[in-house]
Amino acid sequence: MNLPKSVRLVEVGPRDGLQNEKQPISVADKVHLVDELSAAGLRYIEVGSFVSPKWVPQMAGSAEVFAGIQRQPGITYAALTPNLKGFEAALEARVEEVAVFAAASEAFSQKNINCSIAESLQRFVPLMEAAKAASVRVRGYVSCVLGCPYDGEIDPEQVASVARELHAMGCYEVSLGDTIGTGTAGKTRHLIETVARQVPRHLLAGHFHDTYGQALANIYASLLEGISVFDSSVAGLGGCPYAQGATGNVATEDVLYLLQGLGIDTGIDMDKLIAAGQRICEVLGKANGSRVARARLSR
Amino acid sequence: MNLPKSVRLVEVGPRDGLQNEKQPISVADKVHLVDELSAAGLRYIEVGSFVSPKWVPQMAGSAEVFAGIQRQPGITYAALTPNLKGFEAALEARVEEVAVFAAASEAFSQKNINCSIAESLQRFVPLMEAAKAASVRVRGYVSCVLGCPYDGEIDPEQVASVARELHAMGCYEVSLGDTIGTGTAGKTRHLIETVARQVPRHLLAGHFHDTYGQALANIYASLLEGISVFDSSVAGLGGCPYAQGATGNVATEDVLYLLQGLGIDTGIDMDKLIAAGQRICEVLGKANGSRVARARLSR
């Protein structure tokens, strides 16, 4: 067992989480959430998305959120930017780091962003050039790495190919997303072994959904494969757009509990994290999606 | 990775699960549940408990349940029997196999059954003798193996000692129970390594609670340690008596999903299992505790 000594958690609740909650919330509530997550010790927070509010009303006001948060030293405040226009808006909002996304599934790419995988990568070229010129780091997401809602099984070689492209274009890290949560531990290990032949594993991150309850087992399997960066969402914000009422992003609290039990350092304060998650759930009027939070708060 | 080729799931929903649901249900509903679990391919079902209904009203009528079920060849129908009186009642109900339980925590033993661990083991002696005389196999449970609601951390050597005693008394298998769900993957591996020095690991089973979301990661860690028997509860029946509103027993459906993904044979039909779990949840008027069931039923 060669587990990493420390792990960086990428908090995606304010973006990936809130984007998939039906109810849009106010800029003030988003700012409060990000500030509470900063205070809890998260070192990387995806704050918002620079995308047309016509398509994603939940992400309206991301520039105002960036203007409102109390930026702390040592913490990266990032945004998702699907194209050059979004990147320019992000730059104006003093975003320090951005993320782009591609799918490992052709059907998903077509249905989600209306173009092929190759076309979607091509569209990032001007963004990548602008980011390089502005010295802004770009993180890459690959979705559907362990299954697609339309295509079913996905070939790990296909995932490796998309990850390699993103890395070659200049993404300093590639996050492998099990968008529909159908991955299991053995497939996760095999996927990482396959992708790591194209992109060094210290540049890979795991992004697991808990829709089928497998996320923590997959994260443990990833840790055993030497992965030390994981995306998660406080209070499990987000749900699953492909199975209404089901779980989506793995809850940050539950990942932290696993890591603490393994003696792996994250720098995160569990109590403050649980408080931040519970508060945003109260704003949204929904049950807390973290099992750790539910257990702790019910004692 | 030397994972077992096949795994036996011990279905504890009708006993450990229903015992911890507030609302007692009818004998007819229990019979129906057990018959549906049999039809789904479970090979071992803990059907009930022979204990005073004054203490555990949910388990009243266990003899009638045993009389009502359609016993199928190749399936073991077991009962929990805390003492000789319970064992004799079980024998009369034609129970094929029984289980006894002890705690790995002195405080838990005192608060739960009002005696020391040593005294609780001593009380099983006449039961073990009667079981031997009647050629009835006895399974042993150890609770609080990865934490105690009163004592906190539990020394793995203490767990190993209780497991060794149960094995020495004649238990053919010892199930290690993370009663409060606070165990994590690394501690699980260390526990199994420690206990396996006293009881061969092919005679050990894992019994994990999902209160902190860790159960599947712990099961995956146990599989990597060569454990091939796991207790689980359909639809996550049971909840957690130490954290109201929190999750208890890991859901059989979620364990099965992990095992199927790993290519491990169990002989269980997922669709029939999900149907059995959903039906009993409707009888109880509660939300389904299996993430797999929720995801599948919401499609």
Side-chain angles (χ1 to χ4, degrees):
Chain A
M1 289 221 302
N2 276 320
L3 296 171
K5 284 198 173 51
S6 71
V7 156
R8 175 160 56 86
L9 291 185
V10 170
E11 174 58 48
V12 299
R15 200 281 302 169
D16 195 16
L18 291 180
Q19 174 176 326
N20 289 301
E21 296 289 344
K22 273 189 196 124
Q23 184 196 331
I25 66 168
S26 72
V27 165
D29 280 323
K30 289 181 188 172
V31 167
H32 195 98
L33 172 62
V34 173
D35 285 346
E36 286 194 321
L37 292 168
S38 292
L42 269 306
R43 283 172 277 173
Y44 192 111
I45 305 171
E46 208 177 66
V47 171
S49 178
F50 289 84
V51 55
S52 166
K54 195 171 67 184
W55 299 113
V56 190
Q58 291 91 338
M59 287 295 105
S62 282
E64 289 79 359
V65 177
F66 271 94
I69 57 174
Q70 301 276 335
R71 302 192 193 208
Q72 303 296 334
I75 302 180
T76 303
Y77 299 93
L80 193 75
T81 53
N83 50 40
L84 183 60
K85 193 178 160 199
F87 176 77
E88 287 167 346
L91 212 55
E92 207 166 308
R94 295 197 303 119
V95 173
E96 295 155 43
E97 183 170 320
V98 300
V100 298
F101 59 91
S105 148
E106 282 295 352
F108 192 87
S109 189
Q110 288 291 351
K111 298 224 183 191
N112 196 42
I113 50 177
N114 211 22
C115 65
S116 71
I117 297 171
E119 284 166 343
S120 75
L121 293 169
Q122 202 53 42
R123 285 184 193 172
F124 293 139
V125 172
L127 186 161
M128 298 303 296
E129 284 169 1
K132 196 173 175 188
S135 299
V136 167
R137 300 209 301 171
V138 183
R139 192 169 190 254
Y141 284 107
V142 187
S143 61
C144 299
V145 300
L146 287 160
C148 166
Y150 314 111
D151 272 350
E153 296 272 325
I154 296 296
D155 183 354
E157 292 293 354
Q158 169 80 357
V159 180
S161 161
V162 177
R164 185 190 60 230
E165 293 281 337
L166 286 170
H167 180 235
M169 288 172 75
C171 291
Y172 76 96
E173 184 170 278
V174 179
S175 170
L176 304 175
D178 182 12
T179 310
I180 56 170
T182 52
T184 43
K187 288 175 189 173
T188 299
R189 295 186 82 157
H190 178 59
L191 174 72
I192 293 166
E193 284 164 12
T194 306
V195 177
R197 287 196 284 270
Q198 305 291 343
V199 180
R201 61 188 74 202
H202 70 277
L203 304 184
L204 297 175
H207 178 115
F208 294 101
H209 282 212
D210 208 25
T211 316
Y212 293 80
Q214 308 297 313
L216 288 194
N218 293 343
I219 288 173
Y220 182 59
S222 303
L223 289 166
L224 292 172
E225 287 294 326
I227 301 300
S228 63
V229 181
F230 296 96
D231 304 353
S232 61
S233 175
V234 67
L237 289 179
C240 177
Y242 305 98
Q244 292 307 320
T247 311
N249 283 297
V250 66
T252 308
E253 299 89 325
D254 300 2
V255 182
L256 180 60
Y257 195 92
L258 170 67
L259 297 172
Q260 287 182 337
L262 292 168
I264 295 172
D265 180 50
T266 61
I268 302 169
D269 181 310
M270 180 69 91
D271 291 338
K272 289 182 180 172
L273 179 64
I274 289 174
Q278 183 58 19
R279 191 185 163 283
I280 189 69
C281 287
E282 285 162 12
V283 169
L284 288 162
K286 64 170 277 185
N288 198 311
S290 157
R291 296 195 174 201
V292 169
R294 286 209 302 274
R296 285 280 175 90
L297 295 170
S298 67
R299 281 193 305 200
Chain B
M1 288 221 305
N2 276 320
L3 295 171
K5 283 198 173 50
S6 72
V7 154
R8 176 160 56 85
L9 291 185
V10 170
E11 174 56 50
V12 300
R15 200 280 303 169
D16 195 16
L18 291 180
Q19 174 177 323
N20 289 302
E21 295 289 345
K22 273 190 195 123
Q23 184 196 333
I25 65 167
S26 72
V27 165
D29 280 323
K30 289 181 190 174
V31 167
H32 194 97
L33 173 61
V34 173
D35 285 347
E36 285 193 322
L37 293 168
S38 293
L42 267 307
R43 285 173 275 173
Y44 192 110
I45 305 171
E46 208 177 64
V47 171
S49 178
F50 289 85
V51 55
S52 166
K54 196 170 68 183
W55 298 114
V56 190
Q58 292 92 336
M59 287 294 105
S62 282
E64 289 79 0
V65 177
F66 271 94
I69 57 174
Q70 302 275 334
R71 301 192 194 210
Q72 304 297 333
I75 301 180
T76 302
Y77 299 92
L80 192 74
T81 53
N83 50 38
L84 184 60
K85 194 179 158 197
F87 176 77
E88 285 166 348
L91 212 57
E92 209 165 307
R94 296 196 302 119
V95 172
E96 295 155 43
E97 183 169 319
V98 299
V100 298
F101 58 90
S105 148
E106 282 294 353
F108 191 86
S109 189
Q110 288 292 352
K111 298 224 184 194
N112 196 42
I113 50 177
N114 211 21
C115 64
S116 71
I117 298 171
E119 283 165 343
S120 75
L121 293 169
Q122 202 53 41
R123 285 183 194 174
F124 293 139
V125 171
L127 186 160
M128 298 302 296
E129 284 169 2
K132 197 174 176 186
S135 299
V136 167
R137 299 210 303 172
V138 183
R139 191 169 191 254
Y141 283 108
V142 187
S143 61
C144 298
V145 301
L146 287 161
C148 166
Y150 313 112
D151 272 349
E153 295 273 325
I154 296 295
D155 183 355
E157 292 293 353
Q158 169 79 358
V159 180
S161 161
V162 177
R164 185 189 61 229
E165 293 281 337
L166 286 169
H167 180 235
M169 289 173 74
C171 291
Y172 76 96
E173 184 170 280
V174 178
S175 169
L176 305 174
D178 182 13
T179 310
I180 56 170
T182 51
T184 43
K187 288 176 187 171
T188 299
R189 295 186 83 158
H190 178 59
L191 175 73
I192 293 166
E193 284 164 12
T194 307
V195 177
R197 287 196 282 271
Q198 304 291 343
V199 181
R201 63 187 74 202
H202 69 278
L203 305 184
L204 297 175
H207 179 114
F208 294 101
H209 281 213
D210 208 23
T211 316
Y212 293 81
Q214 308 297 312
L216 288 194
N218 294 343
I219 289 173
Y220 181 59
S222 303
L223 289 165
L224 293 173
E225 287 293 325
I227 302 299
S228 63
V229 181
F230 295 95
D231 304 353
S232 61
S233 176
V234 67
L237 290 179
C240 177
Y242 305 98
Q244 293 306 320
T247 311
N249 284 296
V250 66
T252 309
E253 298 89 325
D254 300 2
V255 181
L256 179 60
Y257 194 92
L258 170 67
L259 297 172
Q260 287 181 337
L262 292 168
I264 295 173
D265 181 49
T266 61
I268 302 169
D269 180 311
M270 180 68 91
D271 291 338
K272 289 182 180 172
L273 180 64
I274 289 174
Q278 184 58 18
R279 191 186 162 282
I280 189 68
C281 287
E282 284 162 11
V283 169
L284 288 162
K286 62 171 279 185
N288 198 312
S290 158
R291 296 193 175 202
V292 170
R294 286 209 303 272
R296 286 280 176 90
L297 295 169
S298 66
R299 281 195 303 203

